Amino acid sequence: MIEISKVSKLFNPGTVDEKIALIGIDLKLNPGDFVTVIGSNGAGKSTLMNIISGVMKPDTGEVSIDGGTITQLSEHRRAKWIGRVFQDPMAGTAPNMSIEENMAMAYKRGQSRMFQFGVTRARKELFKQQLRKLGIGLENRLRAKVGMLSGGERQALSLLMATFTKPQILLLDEHTAALDPARAELITQLTETLVREMNLTTLMVTHNMEQAIKLGNRLIMMDKGRIILDVDAKQKKELTVEKLLGEFERISGRKLADDRVVLG
Amino acid sequence: MLDSLLWGPTELGLMYALMALGVYITFRILDFPDLTVDGSFTTGAGIAAYMITHGSSPWVASIAAFAGGMAAGACTGLLHTKGKINGLLSGILMMIALYSINLRIMGRPNISLIKEETIFTGVAVLAIMPVIVIAIKVLLDVYLHTDQGLSLRATGDNARMIRSFGANTDITKIIGISLSNGLVALSGALIAQQSGFADISMGIGMIVIGLASVIIGEAVFGAKSVIRATLAVVLGSILYRVIVAIALRIEWLDTSDLKLITALIVIIALVFPSVRKHMKQKANARKRSAQLLSQSSGPALTKGGAPQ
């Protein structure tokens, strides 16, 4: 599956503003793994996501998928393996295009885009069938512009668009953080269902400790550019928010500082 | 009267409509203000005029003009995406470069086509132009609904999103700017053939005329869908010519005031909608606040969504 070995990334190297975002990260995801990632401010969680998706290139180290290195591939070239949902509900969809057009663009993930109609009758049926899974009635609004949807609806659509072509790995970058609690709950449930149904290998960054413990079969904790804790499925069952905070203090020698952290 | 205020402007409007469609692709779809237009319009006229005076078929010459415009647009696209030069500046650089290139193509600043056979020889402009414009409009509509067309539209709408689905936004930008300038050059080729000459300075201010057509068209005829928007742009191009014809009837205005009038039309068309929107929002907010104040129990927060 996906493997990250000895990845480091510095910002402003050699200047007074030098910042170590990632230092010697090793992480291997097995097929079907659902890993939640938590950590303090500036721990390198977002940088890790950006390195995997190709938005940034690591200074040293390798990223590989199914044994083949993708370290030097640009973002759009590795998109065929990687589905992504951003924190900003506006980021994952094109607002001035219709729901069916957005789905059509997601449908062609990683393929060459030529002169076939984007929305055909056959594809439309598929889109409807997929949208029905969200259970929020989007299948009846195929021609509505995505900009007219609420933040929660847009994020649900982003999630579906990122997953329905069954990418090798799904990256979720705090994708419920910008939503109100009820909508965040809906997206969390959808995430769980979609990931389970398609058995997607998933890496999810979250600020919600409870969510990090409840979801997935593995949890990693990051601090100052390193992975400081890796909890497997068995240990994870016995984990609580208190224990997790205690672990952080024990390993790093300070309290978890995160202005956005949600304890649950 | 009807002739000078309706049919004349319609003829001109239809010929410039292709240029306006080109501007629509960059300005509206790619969200890229492309000033290459001022140069590529003349490139098209120059290529067509040179080829026709050297014995080419006017149709072949027009297609060559289209190709020449595409090449110019591709250069602007490359400057912007691969050279990482600011969008406006890449257009300006290309526009300036094209001035010299156009002189090279034409060999002299002015080529007459009066005695040559053009695509308008023996046919009324109003017989042939609607066919050409509608055909190109429909082709463009179809293209913008293909997989490639969708990724082009998404590039202007949310580039980050379409990249995450594997489209190379550098390439889609280059394709879009190239296609746009192809249409602009084709329009220049047609104008040269209809007016009987190509001139090195005929492209000056073309971008503003294109913008005027797009903005007027969308304001008057609406732009809810791509099909509607392209129709609006064609009609906007005609309407712009009608407005100019009317303006020129005003006694104290001169032909030389044309560019000032055009600039004013664009300014009004740009400022008016945003002022109106602002006023509307303010009025709505006032109304809603009053409504909320009058409810003693306080509002139920039903509307969700992110603040971003």
Side-chain angles (χ1 to χ4, degrees), chain A residues 3 28 54 69-70 85-86 91 105 116 129 189 196 251 261:
Chain A
E3 189 168 0
K28 189 176 173 193
T69 175
I70 58 164
V85 184
F86 305 95
M105 292 188 282
Q116 212 195 338
Q129 179 203 327
Q189 278 173 13
R196 192 176 346 104
I251 301 166
V261 78

mmCIF file of all heavy atoms in Angstrom, chain A residues 3 28 54 69-70 85-86 91 105 116 129 189 196 251 261:
data_model
loop_
_atom_site.group_PDB
_atom_site.id
_atom_site.type_symbol
_atom_site.label_atom_id
_atom_site.label_comp_id
_atom_site.label_asym_id
_atom_site.label_seq_id
_atom_site.Cartn_x
_atom_site.Cartn_y
_atom_site.Cartn_z
ATOM 1 N N GLU A 3 3.557 3.830 1.518
ATOM 2 C CA GLU A 3 4.658 3.784 2.459
ATOM 3 C C GLU A 3 5.447 5.090 2.398
ATOM 4 O O GLU A 3 5.808 5.561 1.322
ATOM 5 C CB GLU A 3 5.568 2.598 2.143
ATOM 6 C CG GLU A 3 6.593 2.378 3.218
ATOM 7 C CD GLU A 3 7.319 1.047 3.080
ATOM 8 O OE1 GLU A 3 7.008 0.297 2.143
ATOM 9 O OE2 GLU A 3 8.195 0.786 3.913
ATOM 10 N N LYS A 28 3.751 3.306 7.434
ATOM 11 C CA LYS A 28 3.310 2.355 6.420
ATOM 12 C C LYS A 28 1.854 2.028 6.686
ATOM 13 O O LYS A 28 1.495 1.668 7.806
ATOM 14 C CB LYS A 28 4.165 1.093 6.484
ATOM 15 C CG LYS A 28 3.906 0.175 5.327
ATOM 16 C CD LYS A 28 4.810 -1.026 5.333
ATOM 17 C CE LYS A 28 4.348 -1.962 4.235
ATOM 18 N NZ LYS A 28 4.942 -3.278 4.326
ATOM 19 N N GLY A 54 1.204 15.294 -2.825
ATOM 20 C CA GLY A 54 2.069 15.861 -3.860
ATOM 21 C C GLY A 54 2.001 17.370 -3.969
ATOM 22 O O GLY A 54 2.604 17.955 -4.859
ATOM 23 N N THR A 69 7.775 4.146 -6.342
ATOM 24 C CA THR A 69 7.982 5.460 -5.728
ATOM 25 C C THR A 69 7.208 6.541 -6.493
ATOM 26 O O THR A 69 7.135 6.517 -7.724
ATOM 27 C CB THR A 69 9.476 5.823 -5.657
ATOM 28 O OG1 THR A 69 9.578 7.159 -5.158
ATOM 29 C CG2 THR A 69 10.141 5.758 -7.027
ATOM 30 N N ILE A 70 6.615 7.451 -5.743
ATOM 31 C CA ILE A 70 5.874 8.552 -6.373
ATOM 32 C C ILE A 70 6.419 9.888 -5.870
ATOM 33 O O ILE A 70 5.809 10.927 -6.066
ATOM 34 C CB ILE A 70 4.361 8.466 -6.089
ATOM 35 C CG1 ILE A 70 4.094 8.481 -4.579
ATOM 36 C CG2 ILE A 70 3.759 7.234 -6.727
ATOM 37 C CD1 ILE A 70 2.654 8.788 -4.240
ATOM 38 N N VAL A 85 -10.213 15.037 0.759
ATOM 39 C CA VAL A 85 -11.247 15.982 1.183
ATOM 40 C C VAL A 85 -10.587 17.025 2.065
ATOM 41 O O VAL A 85 -9.865 16.696 3.006
ATOM 42 C CB VAL A 85 -12.394 15.281 1.958
ATOM 43 C CG1 VAL A 85 -13.489 16.289 2.292
ATOM 44 C CG2 VAL A 85 -12.979 14.139 1.144
ATOM 45 N N PHE A 86 -10.834 18.284 1.746
ATOM 46 C CA PHE A 86 -10.192 19.384 2.464
ATOM 47 C C PHE A 86 -11.049 19.844 3.638
ATOM 48 O O PHE A 86 -12.230 19.534 3.729
ATOM 49 C CB PHE A 86 -9.969 20.572 1.520
ATOM 50 C CG PHE A 86 -9.200 20.236 0.274
ATOM 51 C CD1 PHE A 86 -9.858 19.928 -0.902
ATOM 52 C CD2 PHE A 86 -7.821 20.219 0.274
ATOM 53 C CE1 PHE A 86 -9.154 19.625 -2.064
ATOM 54 C CE2 PHE A 86 -7.106 19.917 -0.871
ATOM 55 C CZ PHE A 86 -7.779 19.618 -2.041
ATOM 56 N N ALA A 91 -13.693 23.883 -0.856
ATOM 57 C CA ALA A 91 -12.475 23.553 -1.605
ATOM 58 C C ALA A 91 -12.606 22.334 -2.516
ATOM 59 O O ALA A 91 -11.904 22.227 -3.505
ATOM 60 C CB ALA A 91 -11.311 23.338 -0.645
ATOM 61 N N MET A 105 -16.522 15.112 -13.263
ATOM 62 C CA MET A 105 -15.093 15.407 -13.168
ATOM 63 C C MET A 105 -14.415 14.431 -12.200
ATOM 64 O O MET A 105 -13.293 14.002 -12.430
ATOM 65 C CB MET A 105 -14.884 16.849 -12.715
ATOM 66 C CG MET A 105 -15.319 17.844 -13.778
ATOM 67 S SD MET A 105 -14.879 19.520 -13.350
ATOM 68 C CE MET A 105 -16.128 19.927 -12.156
ATOM 69 N N GLN A 116 -15.326 13.326 -24.978
ATOM 70 C CA GLN A 116 -16.569 12.632 -24.703
ATOM 71 C C GLN A 116 -17.420 13.541 -23.825
ATOM 72 O O GLN A 116 -16.879 14.297 -23.012
ATOM 73 C CB GLN A 116 -16.244 11.349 -23.948
ATOM 74 C CG GLN A 116 -17.195 10.223 -24.239
ATOM 75 C CD GLN A 116 -17.063 9.122 -23.214
ATOM 76 O OE1 GLN A 116 -16.044 8.990 -22.539
ATOM 77 N NE2 GLN A 116 -18.116 8.338 -23.095
ATOM 78 N N GLN A 129 -27.228 6.899 -8.362
ATOM 79 C CA GLN A 129 -27.116 5.761 -7.467
ATOM 80 C C GLN A 129 -26.100 6.061 -6.355
ATOM 81 O O GLN A 129 -26.327 5.726 -5.195
ATOM 82 C CB GLN A 129 -26.688 4.576 -8.336
ATOM 83 C CG GLN A 129 -26.485 3.267 -7.642
ATOM 84 C CD GLN A 129 -25.553 2.398 -8.470
ATOM 85 O OE1 GLN A 129 -25.543 2.458 -9.699
ATOM 86 N NE2 GLN A 129 -24.754 1.599 -7.794
ATOM 87 N N GLN A 189 -20.442 10.228 10.148
ATOM 88 C CA GLN A 189 -21.141 8.958 9.876
ATOM 89 C C GLN A 189 -20.957 8.510 8.441
ATOM 90 O O GLN A 189 -20.698 7.337 8.168
ATOM 91 C CB GLN A 189 -22.637 9.112 10.177
ATOM 92 C CG GLN A 189 -22.976 8.965 11.635
ATOM 93 C CD GLN A 189 -24.425 9.303 11.901
ATOM 94 O OE1 GLN A 189 -25.228 9.419 10.980
ATOM 95 N NE2 GLN A 189 -24.757 9.475 13.165
ATOM 96 N N ARG A 196 -15.975 2.045 5.102
ATOM 97 C CA ARG A 196 -16.188 0.628 5.389
ATOM 98 C C ARG A 196 -16.690 -0.099 4.137
ATOM 99 O O ARG A 196 -16.181 -1.147 3.757
ATOM 100 C CB ARG A 196 -17.159 0.464 6.543
ATOM 101 C CG ARG A 196 -17.179 -0.971 7.049
ATOM 102 C CD ARG A 196 -18.055 -1.234 8.287
ATOM 103 N NE ARG A 196 -18.512 -0.080 9.006
ATOM 104 C CZ ARG A 196 -19.772 0.381 8.928
ATOM 105 N NH1 ARG A 196 -20.641 -0.189 8.124
ATOM 106 N NH2 ARG A 196 -20.137 1.430 9.644
ATOM 107 N N ILE A 251 5.126 11.455 26.937
ATOM 108 C CA ILE A 251 6.143 11.351 25.892
ATOM 109 C C ILE A 251 6.825 12.683 25.619
ATOM 110 O O ILE A 251 8.038 12.774 25.530
ATOM 111 C CB ILE A 251 5.533 10.798 24.581
ATOM 112 C CG1 ILE A 251 4.920 9.413 24.832
ATOM 113 C CG2 ILE A 251 6.602 10.709 23.488
ATOM 114 C CD1 ILE A 251 4.029 8.937 23.725
ATOM 115 N N VAL A 261 -8.288 22.155 19.621
ATOM 116 C CA VAL A 261 -8.566 20.771 19.957
ATOM 117 C C VAL A 261 -9.951 20.619 20.593
ATOM 118 O O VAL A 261 -10.417 21.462 21.346
ATOM 119 C CB VAL A 261 -7.479 20.199 20.892
ATOM 120 C CG1 VAL A 261 -7.673 20.654 22.317
ATOM 121 C CG2 VAL A 261 -7.446 18.688 20.810
#
